[in-house]
Amino acid sequence: GNSVTQMEGPVTLSEEAFLTINCTYTATGYPSLFWYVQYPGEGLQLLLKATKADDKGSNKGFEATYRKETTSFHLEKGSVQVSDSAVYFCALSDDGSSNTGKLIFGQGTTLQVKP
Amino acid sequence: DGGITQSPKYLFRKEGQNVTLSCEQNLNHDAMYWYRQDPGQGLRLIYYSQIVNDFQKGDIAEGYSVSREKKESFPLTVTSAQKNPTAFYLCASSIATGKSYEQYFGPGTRLTVT
């Protein structure tokens, strides 16, 4: 079945460092891909999405490109801030032919940014 | 402000008791979802509903039940049959089902059963 694999955390960076969180997927068909962010004790917020190959999603300085040839959707940010400390989830739509809207999530990657 | 509300934020129950978690949305979304989150893991789908008065089991439906009597409400009952109910529960909604539609999440309810 469809699945998502994220790099293990925690990831610890200094403020203004470059961030990459790797995400690879296994899927049949052409899923959409998402990055969500979860701050402590809160629900998930959509960070960005891409719905087809070579699409780039971007928001708040974060970017990710849908790479079908490498089945990847890595999250990047050029200069992280302390306020970016959170758990980041990669997800893909898992509809197949059922049209459920179901999402498959990776296990999450914790990012800690130090001043 | 449009959004999804879940109540309460923290819930404590004794083993053997059923408990109902509330989820309400005013986004006029058709689809609603319940996920369970355990430490260090991703989210797992419990139940989903694409339309009022209809719902389907997700990957881990055993020990849970839901209803969808109104478009804006999708309560989840954790029954005494759920063997390991302590977890963080997240409700989500989407304007429609289909692979292009993102889901919007509520703030979650942390359930502790002792």
Side-chain angles (χ1 to χ4, degrees), chain A residues 30-34 36 38 41-46 49 51-52 87 89 93-95 98-108, chain B residues 9-10 31 33 35 37 40-45 48 50 58-59 88 90 96-108 110:
Chain A
Y30 302 94
S32 293
L33 299 170
F34 306 86
Y36 282 85
Q38 184 178 35
E42 298 184 8
L44 276 66
Q45 300 175 25
L46 178 68
K49 74 173 190 179
T51 59
K52 61 183 186 296
V87 181
F89 290 93
S93 60
D94 189 38
D95 278 343
S98 60
N99 198 35
T100 65
K102 174 182 172 180
L103 295 178
I104 300 294
F105 287 86
Q107 75 273 27
Chain B
K9 191 169 179 64
Y10 299 96
Y33 306 82
Y35 292 91
Q37 184 179 20
Q41 298 187 32
L43 282 66
R44 292 181 291 168
L45 183 65
Y48 65 97
Q50 297 172 292
D59 299 319
F88 190 49
L90 287 158
T97 55
K99 75 183 186 84
S100 297
Y101 299 104
E102 60 268 32
Q103 293 179 17
Y104 296 85
F105 285 81
R110 187 166 300 280

Side-chain angles (χ1 to χ4, degrees), chain B residues 22-33:
Chain B
S22 168
C23 176
E24 304 278 331
Q25 54 100 357
N26 61 2
L27 300 167
N28 200 33
H29 285 176
D30 283 316
M32 296 186 75
Y33 306 82

Side-chain angles (χ1 to χ4, degrees), chain A residues 3-7 22-26 90 106-107:
Chain A
S3 65
V4 175
T5 302
Q6 290 182 234
M7 66 185 286
N22 290 338
C23 172
T24 57
Y25 67 90
T26 302
C90 184
Q107 75 273 27

Side-chain angles (χ1 to χ4, degrees), chain A residues 66-95:
Chain A
Y66 189 161
R67 302 281 189 203
K68 191 163 177 61
E69 64 276 12
T70 54
T71 61
S72 65
F73 192 53
H74 304 322
L75 182 68
E76 296 181 335
K77 187 176 185 183
S79 176
V80 294
Q81 305 300 313
V82 172
S83 57
D84 293 326
S85 298
V87 181
Y88 293 81
F89 290 93
C90 184
L92 67 79
S93 60
D94 189 38
D95 278 343

